[in-house]
Amino acid sequence: DVKVTQSSRYLVKRTGEKVFLECVQDMDHENMFWYRQDPGLGLRLIYFSYDVKMKEKGDIPEGYSVSREKKERFSLILESASTNQTSMYLCASRSRVSGANVLTFGAGSRLTVL
Amino acid sequence: SQQGEEDPQALSIQEGENATMNCSYKTSINNLQWYRQNSGRGLVHLILIRSNEREKHSGRLRVTLDTSKKSSSLLITASRAADTASYFCATDYSGNTPLVFGKGTRLSVIA
C-alpha cells in the first residue's frame, strides 16, 4: 500500500514563526498536493506539484510556499505564521487506478498558531 | 469556485439503517469519487464512478451518478457504528487537474 507520512501530527507555533510541514510518500508518485481543512469550508487546495522542482498554486496559496527537491518529499512552508493559518493540513499523493487519478492522504498535521 | 456541495451537512441514524448522502457539482466531469475521513485523520478513497457510468457497488456502498443533474449519491446499507465518519465527494474535471472536494457530510451511526 502507498504510504504518505506527515512528520508532525500536532504543532503549536507563535505568530511570526517560520513553520515547515513535511510530507513523504513511498511509491514514486509524481504528483503531490497540500490541502487545508477548516470546519464548514471543506478541503481547499494550497499548492501542488507535478514533478521535482515543479510547483503550482492552488486556490489559496497566499501566505504559503512549497519545496519539492526530491520526488518523495513535498514540504509546505509558512514563512511567517499567522493565527488565521491555524488549521488541519493534509498532504496527498496521486496515483492512477484503473485509468483514473486517486489520492492517498497522510494522517494530517494540526497546526495551532498562537 | 468549482467546489461541490454535499447534502446533508450532518446525518444521524441508528445502526442497521441505510445512510444516503448527496453531492452536486457544477461542470462536466471525468469521474466522481467518494472519500471517508475518520475524526482527526486523513481521507481514505472509497469508490470512484466514471462519467459514463450510472451506478457502482462496492460491498455495502452504492454510488449513483446523474450527469444531467450534475449530482451523485452515496448509499451505505446496513450501517454500523464504525461507519461514523465524514464523507466527501471529489470531482475530477479534466483528468490532469487536482481533484475538487466538497464540504463533506458528517455521519453519526448510533449503536
Side-chain angles (χ1 to χ4, degrees), chain A residues 5-68:
Chain A
T5 303
Q6 293 183 232
S7 56
S8 303
R9 290 280 286 128
Y10 300 95
L11 303 95
V12 180
K13 298 291 182 180
R14 298 220 172 263
T15 302
E17 280 192 73
K18 190 169 186 175
V19 182
F20 291 87
L21 300 180
E22 304 286 346
C23 176
V24 177
Q25 51 97 0
D26 65 358
M27 282 298 291
D28 203 36
H29 291 163
E30 292 180 347
N31 304 161
M32 296 185 74
F33 304 81
W34 275 105
Y35 292 87
R36 69 176 278 178
Q37 182 178 20
D38 301 287
L41 297 178
L43 276 74
R44 293 179 292 165
L45 182 64
I46 306 172
Y47 266 98
F48 58 103
S49 169
Y50 285 148
D51 207 340
V52 177
K53 296 195 186 293
M54 293 180 66
K55 59 184 179 183
E56 301 283 344
K57 292 181 180 179
D59 298 318
I60 51 164
E62 296 79 18
Y64 303 94
S65 63
V66 289
S67 172
R68 184 103 184 264

Side-chain angles (χ1 to χ4, degrees), chain A residues 65-79:
Chain A
S65 63
V66 289
S67 172
R68 184 103 184 264
E69 294 298 319
K70 293 185 178 181
K71 197 172 192 178
E72 66 270 19
R73 186 180 298 270
F74 191 34
S75 302
L76 180 70
I77 303 158
L78 288 67
E79 294 288 343

Side-chain angles (χ1 to χ4, degrees), chain A residues 9 33 35 37 40-43 45 48 50 88 90 94 98 100-103 105-107, chain B residues 3 31 33 35 37 40-43 45 48 50 88 92 95-99 101-103:
Chain A
R9 290 280 286 128
F33 304 81
Y35 292 87
Q37 182 178 20
L41 297 178
L43 276 74
L45 182 64
F48 58 103
Y50 285 148
M88 171 73 123
L90 294 164
R94 185 163 77 179
S98 301
N101 293 317
V102 171
L103 295 183
F105 282 84
Chain B
Q3 193 173 29
N31 65 73
Q33 304 174 28
Y35 288 76
Q37 183 183 35
R41 308 294 294 184
L43 282 71
H45 179 259
L48 176 153
R50 299 176 192 280
F88 294 85
D92 187 346
N96 199 38
T97 52
L99 296 182
F101 286 83
K103 296 179 181 179

Side-chain angles (χ1 to χ4, degrees), chain B:
Chain B
S1 167
Q2 296 185 44
Q3 193 173 29
E5 293 284 338
E6 282 97 338
D7 168 55
Q9 290 186 351
L11 178 62
S12 183
I13 59 173
Q14 297 289 326
E15 208 168 28
E17 294 180 339
N18 295 343
T20 300
M21 291 159 261
N22 304 297
C23 171
S24 60
Y25 57 92
K26 296 181 181 177
T27 61
S28 297
I29 58 172
N30 277 349
N31 65 73
L32 185 144
Q33 304 174 28
W34 286 89
Y35 288 76
R36 165 195 168 125
Q37 183 183 35
N38 287 347
S39 181
R41 308 294 294 184
L43 282 71
V44 176
H45 179 259
L46 291 176
I47 193 167
L48 176 153
I49 187 166
R50 299 176 192 280
S51 60
N52 60 354
E53 297 175 315
R54 291 297 165 258
E55 187 171 313
K56 203 150 181 200
H57 296 255
S58 176
R60 293 185 296 112
L61 304 180
R62 175 179 165 243
V63 173
T64 60
L65 180 65
D66 186 335
T67 53
S68 67
K69 295 181 179 178
K70 292 186 173 58
S71 68
S72 173
S73 291
L74 172 68
L75 168 68
I76 304 174
T77 60
S79 62
R80 305 165 182 169
D83 294 328
T84 294
S86 292
Y87 293 82
F88 294 85
C89 69
T91 44
D92 187 346
Y93 286 99
S94 76
N96 199 38
T97 52
L99 296 182
V100 178
F101 286 83
K103 296 179 181 179
T105 292
R106 193 169 61 254
L107 172 66
S108 298
V109 181
I110 303 163

